[in-house]
Amino acid sequence: MNYRIIKEELVFDDYFKIKKATIEHELFNSKTIEVNRMCFERGDSVAILIYEKETDTLLFTNQFRYPTIKDKDGWILELTAGTIENGEDPVERVKKEVEEEIGYDITKISFINSFFVSPGGTSERILLYYSEVNSADKIFKGGGMKYEKEDIQLVKLKTKEVINHLKNNQFRDAKTIIGLQWFLINNIK
């Protein structure tokens, strides 16, 4: 299938960017169509599912997320995550995020998968990782970066609690749900 970008312009440029494009693309019947589309340019991000072995807990962040207030109170449990800066190594970014947000030093990191958050309107792709730690690996304060006005709480949930949270729709973040499903599929004994 072929496509051609006829016109592309930046229509919003602030903390986030929005592009507008006119695109011609081939249809499944080999004809072509011209369409106008918008793209919320978010860039790539990293996220990591962390399992603390000796306590049989999974580690989450709890923080206020403005876009989620339409559903509940705005505080949401999610995996540690962050945006990759230009040219930054994703593994180094995820290590920094873990240190900043929950205070753990992680060394062995496994890649799980990558996925687009909502490909109908945003460019954001998440690279999802996994790591196992011990409680002794918590050597930093965590809590987020004050200059970024972050206020992040570390939350540890036993594996059985996580399963109940999933069953009761208490996780509302896609990357977290994807990571947890991967964990449960790969750790059923």
Side-chain angles (χ1 to χ4, degrees), residues 83-95:
T83 303
I84 300 171
E85 304 297 328
N86 289 340
E88 187 175 29
D89 178 79
V91 171
E92 290 305 311
R93 175 78 261 155
V94 83
K95 286 180 180 181

Side-chain angles (χ1 to χ4, degrees), residues 61 96-104 138-146 150-154:
T61 63
K96 287 180 187 175
E97 291 296 334
V98 170
E99 177 184 328
E100 293 170 4
E101 293 187 4
I102 61 172
Y104 280 75
K138 183 167 178 18
I139 60 174
F140 305 105
K141 182 180 177 187
M145 300 301 290
K146 299 305 174 209
E150 291 181 321
D151 182 37
I152 300 170
Q153 177 187 40
L154 166 63

Side-chain angles (χ1 to χ4, degrees), residues 24-141:
E24 180 182 83
H25 70 83
E26 191 175 346
L27 298 171
F28 292 112
N29 65 9
S30 297
K31 294 180 181 179
T32 60
I33 188 171
E34 186 175 301
V35 295
N36 293 315
R37 295 289 185 257
M38 304 279 282
C39 178
F40 178 70
E41 284 291 335
R42 181 74 168 91
D44 288 343
S45 296
V46 292
I48 187 163
L49 176 67
I50 303 172
Y51 178 64
E52 193 175 82
K53 294 184 287 189
E54 87 269 15
T55 61
D56 187 33
T57 58
L58 290 160
L59 310 182
F60 300 93
T61 63
N62 184 30
Q63 59 186 311
F64 182 79
R65 297 293 199 184
Y66 165 66
T68 70
I69 64 174
K70 70 180 182 180
D71 184 38
K72 288 190 180 178
D73 60 12
W75 277 265
I76 188 167
L77 280 178
E78 60 183 308
L79 300 182
T80 299
T83 303
I84 300 171
E85 304 297 328
N86 289 340
E88 187 175 29
D89 178 79
V91 171
E92 290 305 311
R93 175 78 261 155
V94 83
K95 286 180 180 181
K96 287 180 187 175
E97 291 296 334
V98 170
E99 177 184 328
E100 293 170 4
E101 293 187 4
I102 61 172
Y104 280 75
D105 181 34
I106 56 172
T107 53
K108 187 177 178 193
I109 300 169
S110 302
F111 178 74
I112 295 175
N113 211 325
S114 68
F115 51 90
F116 287 93
V117 175
S118 182
T122 180
S123 66
E124 184 176 15
R125 180 179 60 148
I126 294 187
L127 296 113
L128 183 59
Y129 296 91
Y130 174 75
S131 186
E132 292 182 356
V133 296
N134 290 305
S135 57
D137 294 323
K138 183 167 178 18
I139 60 174
F140 305 105
K141 182 180 177 187

